[in-house]
Amino acid sequence: MYDYLIVGAGLYGAVYAQQKKEQGNRCLVIDKRKHVAGNTFSEKIEGIEVHRYGPHIFHTDKEWVWEYMNRFAEFNHFVYSPMANFKGELYNLPFNMNTFHQMWGAATPKEALEIIERQVAEAGIKGPANLEEQAISLVGEDIYEKLVKGYTEKQWGRPCRELPASIIKRLPMRMTFDNNYFDHPYQGIPKAGYAKMVEQMLDGIETQLGVDFLEHRGELSRSTEKIVYTGPVDAYFDYQLGALEYRSLRFETEVLDTANHQGVAGMNFTDADTPWTRIIEHKHFTFGEGNSEKTVVTKEYPQEWTQGEEPYYPIGDEKNAALYRRYEELAKREKNVTFGGRLGTYRYMDMDQVVAQAMEDAG
C-alpha cells in the first residue's frame, strides 16, 4: 500500500511527491511516458542538451521557489533574449527600444511613444471586438503587422479577427534597451538538464515509467489511499461531458554540420508564409557547450490537436472555460483525488507557478 499515488512524473507530480516523502509518506509515481520530467525533458545529442518538447527556461520572482529548485540542480545564468524574423528583417524581443529603433529608427523613448500613440489614435478603435483590434489598440499597426499577426495566426490556427480580444490582455513594451524576455530576477536552466533535476526530486521514491493510469485504474487505485492526478481532467472522466480543446505542436529536430546556425537560442518567424513559428538552437542555452563543429536545431510547427496527440496549450475561450467548470465540479466530488498541473486544471502555467501550486497543494 502507498499513501499517495502520483499520476505523472512531470514538474507538478515530482514536486508533490518530494514534499509528501519529506512529510513521511510512502509514494508511488507513475508516468505513461518512458522518461521523467514531462514536457521539460531534455537529453544529450552531440553533447548538447536538447529540449525535446520546446524550450524551457526556469524564471521566477519568488525567492523561495528559486531556493527550492536549487536544492535539486545547479542552474546556469541563462537569460532568454529571442529575436523575431519577419521576411528577413530582424527585431529584438520583447518589444523594447532596440525593436523600435530597428523598426522606425527611433532613438529615444519619447520618439517611440509618439509613433505608437499616433498609430493607435489613427486606428480609432473603441472597445476592441477581436484580437486584431485589441493588439492594434495597444501597439499600433506596424508592430501588429510585423511581429504579432502572422505568429499569432500560426499559433492559434485561425485569423486574428476570429480570435477573442481576451487572449491578449496586454502586450509588454519596454522603453529601455533591454532584451531580457522575462522580468524576473531569478532565471536559468539546470546545468545537468531537467531530467537529472527531476530524478533528484524523485530520489528514494518508487517510480514506474511506461504505465498508463487510465488503462490500469482499478488495480492502481486499490494500492493507495490518495491519488494525485496530473493528466487531462476530461480523460479522467472518460470525456463524459465532451472533450476539452487544445493546440498542439510538432517538432522537427536535426543536427547541422555547422558550429552556429542562427546565433541565438530562439528565433521567432512572425510572417504568415513561414510554416514554423520558431527555430530553437539548443547549444545557446548552455553557452555553446557540446560538439564544437555541429549544432542541433528544432523547428516548431503549431497544429490542431486531436485525441492521442500531446496537448500543449488549453484553448482559453468561453466555450472551453465553461466545459472545464463542469469538469471541475465533477473533480471536486472525487473522494481522495487531487487534480493538479497544467492538464489536470486545464490552464497554462509557467514552471514556477507549477512548483508553487504543487507545494501549496502538498501542504
Side-chain angles (χ1 to χ4, degrees):
M1 290 292 295
Y2 302 93
D3 298 306
Y4 289 88
L5 167 67
I6 292 94
V7 181
L11 204 50
Y12 182 97
V15 171
Y16 196 104
Q18 189 279 325
Q19 288 287 282
K20 286 301 179 184
K21 174 179 178 289
E22 207 166 69
Q23 295 167 15
N25 296 284
R26 186 181 180 202
C27 301
L28 169 64
V29 177
I30 65 171
D31 200 297
K32 68 178 181 180
R33 292 176 176 175
K34 296 296 181 70
H35 61 74
V36 300
N39 287 350
T40 69
F41 177 73
S42 56
E43 60 185 338
K44 293 280 189 189
I45 299 177
E46 295 291 343
I48 300 164
E49 197 72 32
V50 173
H51 299 219
R52 185 188 288 185
Y53 305 100
H56 286 81
I57 300 93
F58 196 90
H59 57 94
T60 186
D61 59 355
K62 300 176 181 65
E63 184 177 8
W64 61 274
V65 169
W66 183 247
E67 290 177 351
Y68 174 79
M69 297 300 288
N70 276 266
R71 289 174 54 186
F72 308 102
E74 181 182 0
F75 284 75
N76 67 15
H77 60 281
F78 179 80
V79 172
Y80 194 41
S81 302
M83 297 292 294
N85 184 320
F86 177 78
K87 299 181 178 180
E89 300 174 11
L90 298 183
Y91 299 95
N92 287 99
L93 295 175
F95 310 145
N96 64 67
M97 282 303 302
N98 287 309
T99 319
F100 308 141
H101 181 71
Q102 291 153 348
M103 188 164 291
W104 303 310
T108 66
K110 183 175 183 292
E111 292 174 19
L113 280 170
E114 286 176 349
I115 294 171
I116 293 169
E117 289 170 355
R118 183 176 69 249
Q119 291 189 6
V120 170
E122 288 173 352
I125 297 170
K126 306 294 183 183
N130 53 55
L131 187 148
E132 177 171 285
E133 293 183 357
Q134 173 78 339
I136 293 173
S137 70
L138 291 171
V139 296
E141 189 79 28
D142 289 351
I143 295 175
Y144 169 72
E145 287 291 338
K146 290 191 173 185
L147 302 180
V148 177
K149 182 179 180 180
Y151 189 93
T152 303
E153 292 184 345
K154 288 187 291 188
Q155 191 76 12
W156 292 98
R158 61 207 71 179
C160 287
R161 291 181 181 178
E162 296 178 11
L163 291 167
S166 60
I167 289 179
I168 294 183
K169 300 290 194 303
R170 63 185 183 91
L171 284 169
M173 291 189 297
R174 297 180 187 159
M175 293 298 148
T176 60
F177 291 90
D178 179 7
N179 300 322
N180 182 351
Y181 197 77
F182 305 113
D183 59 2
H184 289 159
Y186 307 105
Q187 301 182 46
I189 296 173
K191 287 186 176 180
Y194 283 101
K196 292 292 185 184
M197 180 191 74
V198 171
E199 287 171 2
Q200 287 296 312
M201 287 181 176
L202 296 174
D203 184 43
I205 298 171
E206 186 175 346
T207 303
Q208 297 178 12
L209 303 177
V211 177
D212 190 328
F213 169 77
L214 297 178
E215 290 183 6
H216 306 279
R217 186 193 305 231
E219 174 188 350
L220 289 166
S221 297
R222 288 191 293 272
S223 71
T224 184
E225 294 183 8
K226 296 180 181 179
I227 295 172
V228 178
Y229 178 80
T230 70
V233 61
D234 53 351
Y236 180 92
F237 294 103
D238 199 26
Y239 306 102
Q240 62 182 266
L241 302 176
L244 292 163
E245 295 178 307
Y246 297 85
R247 285 292 286 171
S248 192
L249 294 170
R250 177 170 61 86
F251 302 99
E252 286 187 0
T253 298
E254 57 183 324
V255 178
L256 302 180
D257 292 323
T258 182
N260 188 350
H261 175 65
Q262 62 187 17
V264 68
M267 181 76 73
N268 291 6
F269 290 79
T270 59
D271 63 285
D273 296 329
T274 303
W276 53 84
T277 48
R278 61 182 172 181
I279 295 179
I280 301 303
E281 187 167 9
H282 300 269
K283 69 179 352 180
H284 296 302
F285 290 126
T286 53
F287 309 103
E289 292 179 6
N291 192 325
S292 61
E293 298 180 355
K294 295 181 183 292
T295 192
V296 181
V297 299
T298 299
K299 293 176 180 176
E300 288 189 16
Y301 296 82
Q303 61 184 22
E304 293 292 334
W305 174 80
T306 57
Q307 289 184 31
E309 294 178 341
E310 182 65 29
Y312 286 93
Y313 302 109
I315 303 294
D317 59 14
E318 183 50 41
K319 180 185 75 171
N320 284 281
L323 179 57
Y324 170 66
R325 287 192 291 269
R326 295 174 64 197
Y327 275 117
E328 188 178 29
E329 288 303 313
L330 290 181
K332 289 176 181 177
R333 297 189 207 124
E334 286 290 289
K335 293 182 179 180
N336 299 321
V337 181
T338 297
F339 292 81
R342 174 179 54 94
L343 301 179
T345 59
Y346 194 67
R347 61 190 173 116
Y348 181 81
M349 291 189 283
D350 288 329
M351 286 187 286
D352 69 321
Q353 296 173 313
V354 172
V355 172
Q357 190 63 62
M359 294 181 74
E360 180 181 332
D361 291 347

